[in-house]
Amino acid sequence: MEKLIIFSAPSGSGKTTIVKRLMEMVEGLEFSVSATSRLPRGVEQHGRDYYFLSAEEFDAKVAENAFVEWEEVYVGTKYGTLRSELERIWAKGNTILFDVDVKGGVRLKSIFGDQALSIFVMPPSVEELRNRLVGRATDSPEKIEQRIAKAGEELGYADRFDRVVVNDDLELAVEQVRRAVEEFIAE
Ligand code: ADP
Ligand code: 5GP
């Protein structure tokens, strides 16, 4: 069966850190590269980090029904999963990893059912989330406040995921995720 694994979390929970570790430990996993209407940040590359589209190009793809799902994650900025991306990865026999916002995660799970494992990465607290975002030093204070403001609502989606992993002790969280993923792939 072609499988997919969905990761969602409030920004700063440690999802990227955990998924990076997971990919070093488990073979046959490949990231779905999303399309976005935002501009590249820093060293981000088209086709590797995102498919960077203009707002017009993004809307044209929506009209063509080219997306499995898409969301306006931040006001004025859209992100979506292209159908072509699923075909590209499954054709290689790999399991697809998704890093999508909570609504996208719930949506993908509802589309793919048992073909999908959905994992919510939970921060120990909103205060710790703020510390991590400040510590990561990739976002302006304004962007950090925007992300924190969103976190409250996002936490309310946790019980709609197959698994909730609290990322307090990183090693423990990585181990829980690894076990869940290996069990799911072996099913
Ligand atoms: P996300 O992808 O969910 O936005 P990141 O993986 O970028 O989050 O992590 C946010 C910041 O928190 C990073 O600086 C990361 O090194 C740090 N971090 C991740 N997990 C932990 C943890 N368990 N304890 C402390 N800091 C962590
Ligand atoms: P970034 O920091 O890259 O601008 O923000 C990414 C946000 O958009 C994260 O919450 C990420 O999970 C979400 N995201 C990225 N790609 C997709 C996608 O294809 N679909 C949805 N629904 N959300 C996405």
Side-chain angles (χ1 to χ4, degrees):
M1 184 164 67
E2 290 166 327
K3 291 183 177 175
L4 47 100
I5 300 167
I6 303 155
F7 286 91
S8 299
S11 179
S13 303
K15 181 182 53 179
T16 308
T17 309
I18 292 174
V19 172
K20 221 172 130 198
R21 290 279 300 276
L22 176 72
M23 290 186 82
E24 289 163 4
M25 293 186 293
V26 181
E27 283 185 16
L29 304 177
E30 186 170 349
F31 243 115
S32 160
V33 178
S34 293
T36 179
S37 66
R38 78 157 165 77
L39 295 171
R41 267 195 315 245
V43 296
E44 286 179 338
Q45 275 177 24
H46 181 79
R48 187 192 66 183
D49 300 287
Y50 281 108
Y51 299 111
F52 293 99
L53 306 179
S54 67
E56 293 73 26
E57 286 168 333
F58 197 101
D59 291 343
K61 296 248 181 241
V62 172
E64 284 166 25
N65 195 25
F67 289 110
V68 186
E69 64 78 37
W70 67 273
E71 294 285 341
E72 186 169 342
V73 178
Y74 301 108
V75 177
T77 311
K78 296 171 184 170
Y79 297 82
T81 304
L82 292 163
R83 294 182 196 283
S84 54
E85 196 58 13
L86 306 188
E87 298 313 322
R88 180 181 76 76
I89 299 173
W90 278 334
K92 293 195 242 173
N94 286 337
T95 295
I96 310 178
L97 289 189
F98 288 92
D99 169 347
V100 293
D101 83 312
V102 293
K103 287 185 192 159
V106 168
R107 173 115 189 83
L108 285 170
K109 176 66 189 180
S110 76
I111 295 170
F112 291 99
D114 290 344
Q115 237 181 311
L117 170 68
S118 63
I119 299 178
F120 188 98
V121 180
M122 174 84 91
S125 65
V126 173
E127 206 181 315
E128 175 60 14
L129 196 64
R130 186 189 301 272
N131 291 340
R132 289 182 189 175
L133 286 171
V134 171
R136 190 172 69 181
T138 55
D139 299 284
S140 64
E142 189 188 61
K143 279 264 153 60
I144 290 178
E145 286 319 309
Q146 212 182 44
R147 285 166 191 257
I148 298 285
K150 217 174 160 141
E153 185 200 338
E154 290 169 329
L155 291 172
Y157 281 80
D159 61 2
R160 293 162 74 177
F161 283 71
D162 295 326
R163 300 287 182 103
V164 177
V165 172
V166 179
N167 180 23
D168 188 357
D169 178 322
L170 179 63
E171 296 310 317
L172 257 173
V174 167
E175 193 46 32
Q176 280 173 21
V177 167
R178 185 183 67 78
R179 222 174 299 144
V181 164
E182 285 183 340
E183 270 170 26
F184 173 69
I185 291 175
E187 267 169 20

